[in-house]
Amino acid sequence: NTNKTTRFRKYNGSGERVLYNDLKDTLHLLKANQEYRIRITVYNNVTKFFVNDEEYFSFGEEKPLREGYFGFRTTQSRQVIDDFKIHRLK
């Protein structure tokens, strides 16, 4: 969408794309030549998405998915993802 929104979606495997939130203000859009620290936590059935330690999205689910895939979807943008880590929360 040519950097007009920052969205958080869930693809549940049935073709349905659930949109949880859609940020359109310039503070939440990508800026050229800037590094971002992305952190996603899933704990007690709540998923939270942070950019540079600012919470962008949060949603809870009664029956969250226990398996599947995770991804960053980009449209007409170029990014480098490095230092990617996954940790189990206790």
Side-chain angles (χ1 to χ4, degrees), residues 17-31:
R17 303 179 324 170
V18 179
L19 178 62
Y20 284 101
N21 205 339
D22 190 17
L23 301 173
K24 297 178 182 177
D25 59 289
T26 56
L27 293 174
H28 293 98
L29 301 180
L30 294 174
K31 294 173 185 63

Side-chain angles (χ1 to χ4, degrees), residues 3-53:
N3 197 32
K4 293 181 183 168
T5 64
T6 296
R7 294 177 171 170
F8 200 69
R9 291 185 186 260
K10 177 182 175 181
Y11 295 79
N12 63 13
S14 71
E16 183 182 12
R17 303 179 324 170
V18 179
L19 178 62
Y20 284 101
N21 205 339
D22 190 17
L23 301 173
K24 297 178 182 177
D25 59 289
T26 56
L27 293 174
H28 293 98
L29 301 180
L30 294 174
K31 294 173 185 63
N33 302 311
Q34 182 167 331
E35 289 188 18
Y36 296 93
R37 180 176 182 263
I38 306 297
R39 181 169 42 102
I40 300 170
T41 61
V42 181
Y43 189 70
N44 289 335
N45 299 344
V46 176
T47 300
K48 294 185 178 196
F49 179 91
F50 299 85
V51 178
N52 296 335
D53 294 323

Side-chain angles (χ1 to χ4, degrees), residues 62-78:
E62 213 174 285
K63 295 181 180 180
L65 297 175
R66 297 288 181 209
E67 59 184 26
Y69 298 94
F70 156 85
F72 290 101
R73 181 173 175 236
T74 62
T75 304
Q76 296 183 2
S77 63
R78 291 179 274 179

